[in-house]
């Protein structure tokens, strides 16, 4: 007997009732209704679109739509990817805006042979990844960014969550109770230092100007020198830190709890002394603080709020994805050139960072893993029936208009696991239906 659509939607809902709060269950139900509504209302349109696409030439398809089987994953990029993504949020300020140009097409070039579920970092044409998992050997692996071939591998016999960063000619890995520095060219271990603990992959961040590395945890923040591993200072006043601290011009901005009350706190990068603190209505659910020249952006009670970087004064509520009973959770924030890009289960929008004025919005379901912004393009996981019905994609939208430039559509409906990593000419990602690191971009002409 076929399963009714309502039953198919209800099965994962029952699981979430056990694992989530009532509010999150209601959010999930609204999203499932949206998916189901899109499926029914757009069935004929999608079928006609699919038929029309079928008769379009391959040359027309390559610039817009890519649906590549995962087995066909052994093609090099047409040119070496350049540019850097050296840590979780692309830079110490968590802007998710690395100042690079996305590829003009989203073809699947290669998938690493080595297992990973973690976000990579990229520098000087090398992709650095980990395969930490109980079923693997806990190694750090360097891959050639153009073709995915393995350059070196260092086994640490580690498991569980881990974070990586490249700074001061060191490749650093935080995991469990250790911070390890490797030579990025050879993988040779340079130094190892104990840390208080490590639970979330985004809690390792670095300041490029000073070579200072911060390790966050539920008990506070520790600062180390990337050059030699020397511990510089430690604070434990702010606890339950689960989102990456943001750094800008010698200051650190952290969201966490002080005596069971949520706060945004500014510290000195030099010695950890406090500049100011501001009580929040609630901590961000999914996003770290993002810093630009004069503002700190925080998702507070599901609303994008701006704070003055120097004083901590609340500058105003800028944007939310609203429905009749409240707001959808903000899943991703990226900032660049006077514009903030935000995502939720209700859409993706570009807004003015001063006024909150909406510059464009696309009504679709953005993936939970976040967003990255290139010089011309916004790249993110997206479920949009106008792009690909009933499946998640990695899509590139025009930065000025929000119009689709290209997308990679999965054969099934997986989750993109981590924020896509963008460098010049390539997008790197992991997904729940694949065991390795995937690379999207323009493949060599002979392999197109």
């Amino acid at each position: 007997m076929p399963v009714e659509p309502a039953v198919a939607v209800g099965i994962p809902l029952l699981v979430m009732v056990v694992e989530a709060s009532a509010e999150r269950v209601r959010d999930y139900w609204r999203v499932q209704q949206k998916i189901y509504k899109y499926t029914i209302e757009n069935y004929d349109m999608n079928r006609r679109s699919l038929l029309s696409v079928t008769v379009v030439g391959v040359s027309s398809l390559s610039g817009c739509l890519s649906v590549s089987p995962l087995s066909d994953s052994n093609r090099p990029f047409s040119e070496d990817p350049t540019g850097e993504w050296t840590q979780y949020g692309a830079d110490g300020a968590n802007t998710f805006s690395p100042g690079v140009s996305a590829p003009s097409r989203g073809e699947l070039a290669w998938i690493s042979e080595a297992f990973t579920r973690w976000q990579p970092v990229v520098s000087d044409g090398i992709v650095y990844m980990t395969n930490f998992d109980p079923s693997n050997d806990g190694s750090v692996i360097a891959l050639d960014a153009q073709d995915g071939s393995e350059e070196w591998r260092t086994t640490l016999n580690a498991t569980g969550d881990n974070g990586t960063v490249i700074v001061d000619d060191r490749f650093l890995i935080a995991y469990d109770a250790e911070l390890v520095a490797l030579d990025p060219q050879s993988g040779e271990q340079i130094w190892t230092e104990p840390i208080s603990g490590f639970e979330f992959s985004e809690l390792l961040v670095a300041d490029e100007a000073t070579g200072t590395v911060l390790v966050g945890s539920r008990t506070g923040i520790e600062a180390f020198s990337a050059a030699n591993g020397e511990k510089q200072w430690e604070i434990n006043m702010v606890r339950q830190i689960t989102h990456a601290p943001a750094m800008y011009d010698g200051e650190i901005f952290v969201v966490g709890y002080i005596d069971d009350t949520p706060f945004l706190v500014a510290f000195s990068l030099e010695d950890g002394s406090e500049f100011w603190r501001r009580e929040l209505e609630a901590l961000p659910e999914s996003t770290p603080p993002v810093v630009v020249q004069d503002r700190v952006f925080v998702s507070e009670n599901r609303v994008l709020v701006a704070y003055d970087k120097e004083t901590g004064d609340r500058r105003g509520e800028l944007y939310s994805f609203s429905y009749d009973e409240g707001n959808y959770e903000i899943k991703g924030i990226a900032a660049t050139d006077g514009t903030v890009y935000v995502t939720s289960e209700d859409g993706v929008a570009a807004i003015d960072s001063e006024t909150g004025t909406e510059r464009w919005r696309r009504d679709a379901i953005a993936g939970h893993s976040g967003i990255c912004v290139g010089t011309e393009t916004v790249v993110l996981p997206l479920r949009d029936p106008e792009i690909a019905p009933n499946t998640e994609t990695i899509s590139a939208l025009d930065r000025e208009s929000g119009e689709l430039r290209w997308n990679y559509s999965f054969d099934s409906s997986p989750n993109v696991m981590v924020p896509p990593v963008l460098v010049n000419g390539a997008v790197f990602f992991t997904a729940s239906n694949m065991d390795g690191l995937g690379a999207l971009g323009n493949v060599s002409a002979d392999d197109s």
Side-chain angles (χ1 to χ4, degrees):
M1 175 181 292
V3 178
E4 293 295 332
V7 174
V9 170
I11 292 172
L13 178 62
L14 290 175
V15 177
M16 289 198 67
V17 168
V18 177
E19 298 178 345
S21 68
E23 177 63 22
R24 291 183 63 85
V25 170
R26 286 193 292 271
D27 280 353
Y28 181 82
W29 177 241
R30 279 186 290 267
V31 172
Q32 299 306 314
Q33 286 179 317
K34 178 178 288 190
I35 295 172
Y36 182 60
K37 180 180 179 182
Y38 282 162
T39 303
I40 299 301
E41 292 182 352
N42 291 279
Y43 173 77
D44 289 335
M45 179 191 71
N46 292 329
R47 182 172 57 85
R48 288 193 297 270
S49 298
L50 180 60
L51 291 174
S52 65
V53 167
T54 304
V55 299
V56 175
V58 173
S59 61
S60 299
L61 272 172
S62 61
C64 180
L65 175 66
S66 176
V67 186
S68 301
L70 294 179
S71 59
D72 185 12
S73 56
N74 219 3
R75 306 178 295 175
F77 290 119
S78 55
E79 297 180 358
D80 285 333
T82 60
E84 295 188 336
W85 186 294
T86 58
Q87 53 190 304
Y88 165 72
D91 52 34
N94 294 332
T95 65
F96 291 89
S97 179
V100 297
S101 180
S104 59
R105 299 193 302 272
E107 301 166 311
L108 182 64
W110 51 262
I111 298 176
S112 67
E113 294 183 2
F115 168 89
T116 190
R117 284 284 190 267
W118 311 106
Q119 184 186 35
V121 291
V122 187
S123 180
D124 293 330
I126 302 296
V127 183
Y128 300 89
M129 53 170 269
T130 60
N131 72 346
F132 289 23
D133 185 88
S135 63
N136 293 276
D137 60 7
S139 292
V140 182
I141 303 165
L143 306 176
D144 183 281
Q146 185 174 24
D147 61 16
S149 58
E150 188 169 313
E151 298 284 323
W152 55 257
R153 177 184 297 227
T154 299
T155 299
L156 299 176
N157 293 314
T159 62
D161 215 333
N162 60 91
T164 56
V165 67
I166 297 174
V167 64
D168 205 14
D169 199 31
R170 299 286 188 268
F171 174 45
L172 281 77
I173 311 97
Y175 64 94
D176 193 19
E178 288 190 315
L179 179 64
V180 179
L182 304 181
D183 185 306
Q185 304 303 318
S186 65
E188 180 181 356
Q189 190 163 321
I190 301 173
W191 54 258
T192 300
E193 291 293 331
I195 57 178
S196 296
F198 196 80
E199 298 179 74
F200 303 101
S201 60
E202 62 189 82
L203 292 184
L204 178 67
V205 296
D207 179 62
E208 295 180 356
T210 62
T212 302
V213 180
L214 302 183
V215 181
S217 71
R218 294 185 179 275
T219 60
I221 296 177
E222 298 171 281
F224 297 86
S225 167
N228 55 24
E230 181 182 352
K231 190 170 183 177
Q232 298 177 336
W233 50 262
E234 179 179 1
I235 58 173
N236 54 22
M237 183 235 325
V238 182
R239 294 176 175 268
Q240 300 297 315
I241 300 171
T242 58
H243 298 299
M247 291 179 284
Y248 191 99
D249 195 24
E251 294 184 61
I252 309 164
F253 304 89
V254 183
V255 291
Y257 284 98
I258 300 176
D259 296 330
D260 299 323
T261 300
F263 276 91
L264 169 66
V265 187
F267 294 98
S268 166
L269 178 62
E270 182 179 5
D271 58 13
S273 58
E274 182 180 332
F275 289 140
W276 52 257
R277 67 174 74 177
R278 290 295 175 268
E279 184 175 341
L280 303 177
E281 294 180 6
L283 289 185
E285 295 174 292
S286 301
T287 58
V290 175
V291 187
V292 294
Q293 186 173 4
D294 61 347
R295 292 190 170 197
V296 184
F297 300 107
V298 176
S299 172
E300 184 178 351
N301 204 22
R302 304 189 173 195
V303 177
L304 182 68
V305 179
Y307 287 86
D308 187 280
K309 185 176 76 70
E310 297 303 322
T311 66
D313 293 339
R314 206 171 197 259
R315 299 282 291 272
E317 297 183 357
L318 296 183
Y319 198 81
S320 64
F321 294 90
S322 301
Y323 58 92
D324 292 342
E325 300 175 14
N327 301 319
Y328 286 96
E329 178 184 333
I330 293 177
K331 299 290 188 179
I333 304 172
T336 181
D337 296 339
T339 304
V340 182
Y341 302 85
V342 287
T343 69
S344 79
E345 294 166 341
D346 194 47
V348 53
I351 63 172
D352 185 282
S353 61
E354 291 286 334
T355 65
T357 302
E358 189 177 283
R359 294 180 171 170
W360 56 259
R361 172 169 170 159
R362 190 177 188 97
D363 291 326
I365 301 173
H368 73 279
S369 59
I371 183 174
C372 56
V373 179
T375 52
E376 304 93 15
T377 312
V378 176
V379 179
L380 74 163
L382 202 63
R383 185 184 290 266
D384 188 336
E386 294 184 3
I387 297 175
N390 307 321
T391 188
E392 188 159 40
T393 69
I394 293 178
S395 294
L397 308 179
D398 186 273
R399 195 170 117 171
E400 299 303 318
S401 66
E403 295 180 358
L404 178 69
R405 287 200 172 188
W406 56 257
N407 79 285
Y408 175 77
S409 182
F410 293 93
D411 292 337
S412 57
S413 296
N415 291 319
V416 178
M417 304 297 289
V418 296
V421 166
L422 174 64
V423 297
N424 281 313
V427 177
F428 300 99
F429 70 99
T430 66
S432 58
N433 68 334
M434 49 193 278
D435 289 332
L437 178 71
L440 300 178
N442 305 340
V443 301
S444 298
D446 294 341
D447 296 318
S448 299

